[in-house]
Amino acid sequence: MSVSEALFERAKECIPGGVNSPVRAFGSVGIAPRFITRGNGDRIWDADGKEYIDYIGSWGPMILGHGHPAVLEAVEKAVKDGLSFGAATQREVEMAELICSMVPSIEMVRMVNSGTEAVMSAIRAARGFTGKDKIIKFAGCYHGHTDAMLVKAGSGVMTQGLPGSAGVPEGCTKDTLSATYNDLENVRDLLEANAGEVAAIIVEPVGANMGVVLPEKGFLEGLRSLCDEYEALLIFDEVITGFRLGAGGAQEYFGIRPDLTTFGKIIGGGMPVGAYGGRKDIMKMIAPSGPVYQAGTLSGNPVAMAAGLAQLTVLKEETALYDKLNTAAGRFFDELDQIFTQAGEPHCVNHIGSLGCVFFTEGPVKNYADAGRSDTARFTQYFAHMLAQGIYLAPSQFEAMFLSTAHTQEDLQRTLEAARSFFA
Ligand SMILES: *Cc1c(COP(=O)(O)O)cnc(C)c1O
């Protein structure tokens, strides 16, 4: 038994499923998860000493790779000053100013501790501001594990959502309406059927939790104008796309101005950080300046802020960084696509910037139902092959590959070689 397998056996006795977040369990691919001991650049090592090229990157945060010197140095410095005060600190002001300077629609921002918390709070703000209760979300978009967002995809569309998890009372999801990604007519129908009741539409501007699904031309623009027409707020969940598609996230990339935005992942540089922000008139509704209550003992934690500030500063100041990363990633995903085409494997590669994925189904994949047609058994074979070759992919067909600035040309080529050998 390997060290990882032994650790997993122990973990299963004292942690549900052996993990602190479900997808880490490798459950859908039937392999024991690798316990990771350290990372450097684009590489990670497991408890058995095996080395991998990492395409998870902590599910997004490690856009600069593991152990970026600027981030490490900032954290080491902050640690020495104290881990937490539960009081206001200068770094929080600098962090807020930096986010406002980078993301076009952010006039005010509140720090929280995760993406889930950011979404939960943004929805409360939207409801408090509009005085309406209903929220439209899209099937296949993930917005964290808060009750109201755990709504199953599919037949709940057009009516009220069904709970997508045990332990979620119907009352918590009855105001969550589920729509089809890239289907503006569907959204208009929902708005029409619930006229005057929809507080907000929340969307991943690039779907990155059903594999990678791009917004079709006009989709995000259409959501913006539908929100204006029906007096609902537009919330971009940029927990993945924020600071990834570019310094200003998806909203800058596509030139759409949401009313509220949620962040997580990259914003903390690897520490547990989330944030939500947007229009000043909405954000002024948050306590203590307004009646919408939201709080956090460790929110704006000094060490977490130091990590986030350092990472965001690099992303803002190294202006050529995104062009270089996105160009390298674009080339990589195109070559991966060619390998699958040459092998005659039914597939669809969707990618944008440094995000991408291979669906094991004929394209196009434009929504959750399309993604659901993927051959997950075939994906599992591919995943196991790549893992054995030292390529650490997300253990699910419905997750993205995250490239970082630390991925070298050599390692990208090695990865393509590994994919080629799957078909050999
Ligand atoms: C990961 C994710 C979340 C939840 O963030 P956590 O930090 O895991 O709570 C919310 N929205 C999107 C789009 C995400 O990818």
Side-chain angles (χ1 to χ4, degrees), residues 352-387:
I352 182 168
S354 51
L355 284 173
C357 92
V358 186
F359 290 105
F360 283 80
T361 180
E362 300 281 356
V365 175
K366 299 193 289 192
N367 57 40
Y368 186 58
D370 293 343
R373 279 192 283 276
S374 300
D375 183 345
T376 53
R378 186 73 174 141
F379 169 82
T380 299
Q381 292 171 352
Y382 174 68
F383 171 83
H385 170 83
M386 295 300 271
L387 190 71

mmCIF file of all heavy atoms in Angstrom, residues 352-387:
data_model
loop_
_atom_site.group_PDB
_atom_site.id
_atom_site.type_symbol
_atom_site.label_atom_id
_atom_site.label_comp_id
_atom_site.label_asym_id
_atom_site.label_seq_id
_atom_site.Cartn_x
_atom_site.Cartn_y
_atom_site.Cartn_z
ATOM 1 N N ILE A 352 -10.559 29.114 -22.956
ATOM 2 C CA ILE A 352 -10.475 30.576 -22.997
ATOM 3 C C ILE A 352 -9.407 30.990 -21.998
ATOM 4 O O ILE A 352 -9.364 30.464 -20.880
ATOM 5 C CB ILE A 352 -11.844 31.230 -22.664
ATOM 6 C CG1 ILE A 352 -11.759 32.747 -22.760
ATOM 7 C CG2 ILE A 352 -12.343 30.798 -21.287
ATOM 8 C CD1 ILE A 352 -13.116 33.437 -22.743
ATOM 9 N N GLY A 353 -8.518 31.887 -22.411
ATOM 10 C CA GLY A 353 -7.426 32.273 -21.523
ATOM 11 C C GLY A 353 -6.695 31.040 -21.035
ATOM 12 O O GLY A 353 -6.395 30.139 -21.813
ATOM 13 N N SER A 354 -6.445 30.975 -19.750
ATOM 14 C CA SER A 354 -5.680 29.850 -19.193
ATOM 15 C C SER A 354 -6.580 28.756 -18.633
ATOM 16 O O SER A 354 -6.140 27.928 -17.849
ATOM 17 C CB SER A 354 -4.746 30.371 -18.095
ATOM 18 O OG SER A 354 -5.460 31.148 -17.160
ATOM 19 N N LEU A 355 -7.864 28.759 -19.037
ATOM 20 C CA LEU A 355 -8.827 27.738 -18.629
ATOM 21 C C LEU A 355 -9.205 26.899 -19.834
ATOM 22 O O LEU A 355 -9.435 27.439 -20.914
ATOM 23 C CB LEU A 355 -10.135 28.398 -18.174
ATOM 24 C CG LEU A 355 -10.258 29.086 -16.835
ATOM 25 C CD1 LEU A 355 -11.612 29.779 -16.766
ATOM 26 C CD2 LEU A 355 -10.094 28.089 -15.716
ATOM 27 N N GLY A 356 -9.338 25.599 -19.604
ATOM 28 C CA GLY A 356 -9.812 24.780 -20.707
ATOM 29 C C GLY A 356 -10.206 23.401 -20.233
ATOM 30 O O GLY A 356 -9.948 23.038 -19.082
ATOM 31 N N CYS A 357 -10.849 22.642 -21.113
ATOM 32 C CA CYS A 357 -11.145 21.253 -20.783
ATOM 33 C C CYS A 357 -11.445 20.463 -22.045
ATOM 34 O O CYS A 357 -11.809 21.022 -23.080
ATOM 35 C CB CYS A 357 -12.287 21.150 -19.781
ATOM 36 S SG CYS A 357 -13.904 20.984 -20.477
ATOM 37 N N VAL A 358 -11.241 19.158 -21.944
ATOM 38 C CA VAL A 358 -11.591 18.241 -23.028
ATOM 39 C C VAL A 358 -12.837 17.481 -22.613
ATOM 40 O O VAL A 358 -12.810 16.748 -21.628
ATOM 41 C CB VAL A 358 -10.478 17.190 -23.277
ATOM 42 C CG1 VAL A 358 -10.830 16.349 -24.505
ATOM 43 C CG2 VAL A 358 -9.129 17.835 -23.417
ATOM 44 N N PHE A 359 -13.917 17.663 -23.341
ATOM 45 C CA PHE A 359 -15.111 16.847 -23.126
ATOM 46 C C PHE A 359 -15.009 15.600 -23.990
ATOM 47 O O PHE A 359 -14.684 15.704 -25.179
ATOM 48 C CB PHE A 359 -16.375 17.607 -23.536
ATOM 49 C CG PHE A 359 -16.731 18.747 -22.615
ATOM 50 C CD1 PHE A 359 -16.501 20.056 -23.010
ATOM 51 C CD2 PHE A 359 -17.315 18.526 -21.376
ATOM 52 C CE1 PHE A 359 -16.847 21.116 -22.178
ATOM 53 C CE2 PHE A 359 -17.654 19.579 -20.539
ATOM 54 C CZ PHE A 359 -17.421 20.875 -20.940
ATOM 55 N N PHE A 360 -15.326 14.459 -23.410
ATOM 56 C CA PHE A 360 -15.341 13.223 -24.189
ATOM 57 C C PHE A 360 -16.702 13.039 -24.838
ATOM 58 O O PHE A 360 -17.425 12.090 -24.569
ATOM 59 C CB PHE A 360 -14.932 12.032 -23.310
ATOM 60 C CG PHE A 360 -13.448 11.979 -23.072
ATOM 61 C CD1 PHE A 360 -12.857 12.784 -22.111
ATOM 62 C CD2 PHE A 360 -12.632 11.153 -23.832
ATOM 63 C CE1 PHE A 360 -11.482 12.761 -21.910
ATOM 64 C CE2 PHE A 360 -11.254 11.113 -23.633
ATOM 65 C CZ PHE A 360 -10.685 11.918 -22.672
ATOM 66 N N THR A 361 -17.044 14.003 -25.670
ATOM 67 C CA THR A 361 -18.272 13.935 -26.470
ATOM 68 C C THR A 361 -18.086 14.854 -27.671
ATOM 69 O O THR A 361 -17.281 15.790 -27.617
ATOM 70 C CB THR A 361 -19.504 14.376 -25.663
ATOM 71 O OG1 THR A 361 -20.672 14.302 -26.490
ATOM 72 C CG2 THR A 361 -19.386 15.818 -25.173
ATOM 73 N N GLU A 362 -18.826 14.590 -28.728
ATOM 74 C CA GLU A 362 -18.813 15.504 -29.875
ATOM 75 C C GLU A 362 -19.349 16.857 -29.429
ATOM 76 O O GLU A 362 -20.302 16.914 -28.656
ATOM 77 C CB GLU A 362 -19.755 14.982 -30.986
ATOM 78 C CG GLU A 362 -19.402 13.612 -31.531
ATOM 79 C CD GLU A 362 -18.251 13.647 -32.521
ATOM 80 O OE1 GLU A 362 -17.765 14.748 -32.841
ATOM 81 O OE2 GLU A 362 -17.848 12.557 -32.974
ATOM 82 N N GLY A 363 -18.756 17.935 -29.887
ATOM 83 C CA GLY A 363 -19.264 19.259 -29.550
ATOM 84 C C GLY A 363 -20.427 19.643 -30.417
ATOM 85 O O GLY A 363 -20.881 18.823 -31.222
ATOM 86 N N PRO A 364 -20.900 20.838 -30.342
ATOM 87 C CA PRO A 364 -20.447 21.819 -29.357
ATOM 88 C C PRO A 364 -21.037 21.555 -27.970
ATOM 89 O O PRO A 364 -22.122 20.986 -27.868
ATOM 90 C CB PRO A 364 -20.989 23.139 -29.930
ATOM 91 C CG PRO A 364 -22.200 22.753 -30.722
ATOM 92 C CD PRO A 364 -21.909 21.387 -31.268
ATOM 93 N N VAL A 365 -20.296 21.959 -26.942
ATOM 94 C CA VAL A 365 -20.812 21.896 -25.566
ATOM 95 C C VAL A 365 -21.104 23.332 -25.125
ATOM 96 O O VAL A 365 -20.185 24.124 -24.923
ATOM 97 C CB VAL A 365 -19.809 21.212 -24.619
ATOM 98 C CG1 VAL A 365 -20.321 21.264 -23.184
ATOM 99 C CG2 VAL A 365 -19.578 19.761 -25.039
ATOM 100 N N LYS A 366 -22.400 23.636 -25.041
ATOM 101 C CA LYS A 366 -22.820 25.014 -24.764
ATOM 102 C C LYS A 366 -23.568 25.167 -23.446
ATOM 103 O O LYS A 366 -23.901 26.271 -23.045
ATOM 104 C CB LYS A 366 -23.727 25.505 -25.899
ATOM 105 C CG LYS A 366 -23.014 25.505 -27.245
ATOM 106 C CD LYS A 366 -23.779 26.268 -28.282
ATOM 107 C CE LYS A 366 -25.046 25.532 -28.701
ATOM 108 N NZ LYS A 366 -25.658 26.140 -29.911
ATOM 109 N N ASN A 367 -23.897 24.022 -22.838
ATOM 110 C CA ASN A 367 -24.636 24.089 -21.573
ATOM 111 C C ASN A 367 -24.469 22.772 -20.816
ATOM 112 O O ASN A 367 -23.761 21.872 -21.260
ATOM 113 C CB ASN A 367 -26.117 24.403 -21.839
ATOM 114 C CG ASN A 367 -26.747 23.386 -22.773
ATOM 115 O OD1 ASN A 367 -26.491 22.191 -22.674
ATOM 116 N ND2 ASN A 367 -27.557 23.868 -23.712
ATOM 117 N N TYR A 368 -25.155 22.710 -19.699
ATOM 118 C CA TYR A 368 -25.036 21.577 -18.781
ATOM 119 C C TYR A 368 -25.472 20.263 -19.433
ATOM 120 O O TYR A 368 -24.824 19.223 -19.266
ATOM 121 C CB TYR A 368 -25.910 21.889 -17.575
ATOM 122 C CG TYR A 368 -25.833 20.928 -16.424
ATOM 123 C CD1 TYR A 368 -24.617 20.667 -15.790
ATOM 124 C CD2 TYR A 368 -26.982 20.318 -15.923
ATOM 125 C CE1 TYR A 368 -24.550 19.807 -14.712
ATOM 126 C CE2 TYR A 368 -26.924 19.464 -14.836
ATOM 127 C CZ TYR A 368 -25.706 19.211 -14.242
ATOM 128 O OH TYR A 368 -25.658 18.372 -13.169
ATOM 129 N N ALA A 369 -26.546 20.312 -20.201
ATOM 130 C CA ALA A 369 -27.052 19.092 -20.839
ATOM 131 C C ALA A 369 -26.042 18.565 -21.857
ATOM 132 O O ALA A 369 -25.793 17.359 -21.937
ATOM 133 C CB ALA A 369 -28.401 19.357 -21.509
ATOM 134 N N ASP A 370 -25.435 19.481 -22.630
ATOM 135 C CA ASP A 370 -24.402 19.073 -23.594
ATOM 136 C C ASP A 370 -23.243 18.407 -22.861
ATOM 137 O O ASP A 370 -22.750 17.347 -23.273
ATOM 138 C CB ASP A 370 -23.837 20.293 -24.349
ATOM 139 C CG ASP A 370 -24.860 20.946 -25.275
ATOM 140 O OD1 ASP A 370 -25.882 20.309 -25.586
ATOM 141 O OD2 ASP A 370 -24.613 22.106 -25.677
ATOM 142 N N ALA A 371 -22.787 19.048 -21.771
ATOM 143 C CA ALA A 371 -21.656 18.514 -21.006
ATOM 144 C C ALA A 371 -21.991 17.128 -20.464
ATOM 145 O O ALA A 371 -21.147 16.223 -20.444
ATOM 146 C CB ALA A 371 -21.291 19.454 -19.858
ATOM 147 N N GLY A 372 -23.250 16.966 -20.078
ATOM 148 C CA GLY A 372 -23.706 15.708 -19.484
ATOM 149 C C GLY A 372 -23.668 14.528 -20.444
ATOM 150 O O GLY A 372 -23.782 13.382 -20.015
ATOM 151 N N ARG A 373 -23.505 14.799 -21.738
ATOM 152 C CA ARG A 373 -23.431 13.704 -22.715
ATOM 153 C C ARG A 373 -22.034 13.080 -22.800
ATOM 154 O O ARG A 373 -21.802 12.136 -23.538
ATOM 155 C CB ARG A 373 -23.855 14.212 -24.100
ATOM 156 C CG ARG A 373 -25.372 14.266 -24.284
ATOM 157 C CD ARG A 373 -25.748 14.493 -25.726
ATOM 158 N NE ARG A 373 -25.557 15.875 -26.117
ATOM 159 C CZ ARG A 373 -26.456 16.836 -25.913
ATOM 160 N NH1 ARG A 373 -27.597 16.554 -25.319
ATOM 161 N NH2 ARG A 373 -26.217 18.068 -26.290
ATOM 162 N N SER A 374 -21.103 13.636 -22.013
ATOM 163 C CA SER A 374 -19.714 13.140 -22.086
ATOM 164 C C SER A 374 -19.611 11.693 -21.625
ATOM 165 O O SER A 374 -20.356 11.254 -20.750
ATOM 166 C CB SER A 374 -18.818 14.009 -21.199
ATOM 167 O OG SER A 374 -18.864 15.344 -21.631
ATOM 168 N N ASP A 375 -18.660 10.993 -22.217
ATOM 169 C CA ASP A 375 -18.381 9.604 -21.857
ATOM 170 C C ASP A 375 -17.439 9.617 -20.644
ATOM 171 O O ASP A 375 -16.222 9.670 -20.794
ATOM 172 C CB ASP A 375 -17.731 8.906 -23.062
ATOM 173 C CG ASP A 375 -17.461 7.432 -22.812
ATOM 174 O OD1 ASP A 375 -17.508 6.999 -21.636
ATOM 175 O OD2 ASP A 375 -17.186 6.725 -23.803
ATOM 176 N N THR A 376 -18.017 9.574 -19.449
ATOM 177 C CA THR A 376 -17.195 9.725 -18.240
ATOM 178 C C THR A 376 -16.312 8.493 -17.999
ATOM 179 O O THR A 376 -15.250 8.612 -17.389
ATOM 180 C CB THR A 376 -18.062 9.998 -16.996
ATOM 181 O OG1 THR A 376 -19.069 8.991 -16.899
ATOM 182 C CG2 THR A 376 -18.739 11.364 -17.085
ATOM 183 N N ALA A 377 -16.742 7.336 -18.490
ATOM 184 C CA ALA A 377 -15.903 6.135 -18.336
ATOM 185 C C ALA A 377 -14.618 6.304 -19.147
ATOM 186 O O ALA A 377 -13.516 5.949 -18.694
ATOM 187 C CB ALA A 377 -16.663 4.898 -18.800
ATOM 188 N N ARG A 378 -14.764 6.870 -20.349
ATOM 189 C CA ARG A 378 -13.591 7.129 -21.191
ATOM 190 C C ARG A 378 -12.704 8.185 -20.524
ATOM 191 O O ARG A 378 -11.478 8.074 -20.524
ATOM 192 C CB ARG A 378 -14.067 7.618 -22.568
ATOM 193 C CG ARG A 378 -12.964 7.777 -23.588
ATOM 194 C CD ARG A 378 -12.453 6.444 -24.094
ATOM 195 N NE ARG A 378 -11.490 6.612 -25.182
ATOM 196 C CZ ARG A 378 -10.410 5.866 -25.326
ATOM 197 N NH1 ARG A 378 -10.131 4.902 -24.457
ATOM 198 N NH2 ARG A 378 -9.598 6.067 -26.338
ATOM 199 N N PHE A 379 -13.320 9.215 -19.937
ATOM 200 C CA PHE A 379 -12.545 10.229 -19.220
ATOM 201 C C PHE A 379 -11.720 9.585 -18.113
ATOM 202 O O PHE A 379 -10.552 9.919 -17.908
ATOM 203 C CB PHE A 379 -13.435 11.328 -18.608
ATOM 204 C CG PHE A 379 -12.670 12.215 -17.665
ATOM 205 C CD1 PHE A 379 -11.894 13.263 -18.143
ATOM 206 C CD2 PHE A 379 -12.648 11.955 -16.291
ATOM 207 C CE1 PHE A 379 -11.123 14.040 -17.281
ATOM 208 C CE2 PHE A 379 -11.873 12.727 -15.428
ATOM 209 C CZ PHE A 379 -11.119 13.775 -15.927
ATOM 210 N N THR A 380 -12.347 8.661 -17.380
ATOM 211 C CA THR A 380 -11.663 8.005 -16.258
ATOM 212 C C THR A 380 -10.413 7.274 -16.727
ATOM 213 O O THR A 380 -9.363 7.333 -16.083
ATOM 214 C CB THR A 380 -12.631 7.034 -15.549
ATOM 215 O OG1 THR A 380 -13.723 7.800 -15.046
ATOM 216 C CG2 THR A 380 -11.956 6.309 -14.397
ATOM 217 N N GLN A 381 -10.510 6.601 -17.893
ATOM 218 C CA GLN A 381 -9.324 5.929 -18.454
ATOM 219 C C GLN A 381 -8.223 6.951 -18.755
ATOM 220 O O GLN A 381 -7.053 6.734 -18.450
ATOM 221 C CB GLN A 381 -9.679 5.215 -19.763
ATOM 222 C CG GLN A 381 -10.615 4.029 -19.585
ATOM 223 C CD GLN A 381 -11.106 3.487 -20.939
ATOM 224 O OE1 GLN A 381 -10.872 4.090 -21.988
ATOM 225 N NE2 GLN A 381 -11.781 2.344 -20.887
ATOM 226 N N TYR A 382 -8.640 8.046 -19.354
ATOM 227 C CA TYR A 382 -7.691 9.118 -19.705
ATOM 228 C C TYR A 382 -7.047 9.683 -18.442
ATOM 229 O O TYR A 382 -5.830 9.843 -18.360
ATOM 230 C CB TYR A 382 -8.457 10.191 -20.479
ATOM 231 C CG TYR A 382 -7.679 11.443 -20.805
ATOM 232 C CD1 TYR A 382 -6.622 11.425 -21.712
ATOM 233 C CD2 TYR A 382 -8.027 12.669 -20.222
ATOM 234 C CE1 TYR A 382 -5.929 12.586 -22.020
ATOM 235 C CE2 TYR A 382 -7.346 13.832 -20.533
ATOM 236 C CZ TYR A 382 -6.295 13.786 -21.431
ATOM 237 O OH TYR A 382 -5.613 14.930 -21.738
ATOM 238 N N PHE A 383 -7.881 9.959 -17.459
ATOM 239 C CA PHE A 383 -7.379 10.519 -16.202
ATOM 240 C C PHE A 383 -6.331 9.599 -15.578
ATOM 241 O O PHE A 383 -5.252 10.048 -15.168
ATOM 242 C CB PHE A 383 -8.538 10.751 -15.214
ATOM 243 C CG PHE A 383 -8.069 11.113 -13.841
ATOM 244 C CD1 PHE A 383 -7.741 12.420 -13.530
ATOM 245 C CD2 PHE A 383 -7.918 10.138 -12.856
ATOM 246 C CE1 PHE A 383 -7.272 12.751 -12.271
ATOM 247 C CE2 PHE A 383 -7.443 10.457 -11.594
ATOM 248 C CZ PHE A 383 -7.127 11.766 -11.303
ATOM 249 N N ALA A 384 -6.658 8.298 -15.507
ATOM 250 C CA ALA A 384 -5.748 7.333 -14.866
ATOM 251 C C ALA A 384 -4.430 7.260 -15.641
ATOM 252 O O ALA A 384 -3.343 7.209 -15.051
ATOM 253 C CB ALA A 384 -6.411 5.958 -14.800
ATOM 254 N N HIS A 385 -4.529 7.277 -16.981
ATOM 255 C CA HIS A 385 -3.324 7.255 -17.811
ATOM 256 C C HIS A 385 -2.458 8.483 -17.529
ATOM 257 O O HIS A 385 -1.245 8.366 -17.331
ATOM 258 C CB HIS A 385 -3.708 7.206 -19.299
ATOM 259 C CG HIS A 385 -2.557 7.422 -20.215
ATOM 260 N ND1 HIS A 385 -1.694 6.412 -20.585
ATOM 261 C CD2 HIS A 385 -2.095 8.565 -20.814
ATOM 262 C CE1 HIS A 385 -0.762 6.913 -21.371
ATOM 263 N NE2 HIS A 385 -0.985 8.213 -21.531
ATOM 264 N N MET A 386 -3.090 9.658 -17.506
ATOM 265 C CA MET A 386 -2.339 10.894 -17.307
ATOM 266 C C MET A 386 -1.700 10.926 -15.916
ATOM 267 O O MET A 386 -0.544 11.334 -15.766
ATOM 268 C CB MET A 386 -3.248 12.112 -17.518
ATOM 269 C CG MET A 386 -3.761 12.261 -18.952
ATOM 270 S SD MET A 386 -2.458 12.456 -20.204
ATOM 271 C CE MET A 386 -2.273 14.242 -20.199
ATOM 272 N N LEU A 387 -2.438 10.479 -14.912
ATOM 273 C CA LEU A 387 -1.901 10.467 -13.548
ATOM 274 C C LEU A 387 -0.660 9.576 -13.480
ATOM 275 O O LEU A 387 0.363 9.960 -12.903
ATOM 276 C CB LEU A 387 -2.974 9.975 -12.570
ATOM 277 C CG LEU A 387 -2.638 10.129 -11.088
ATOM 278 C CD1 LEU A 387 -2.662 11.607 -10.673
ATOM 279 C CD2 LEU A 387 -3.615 9.330 -10.216
#
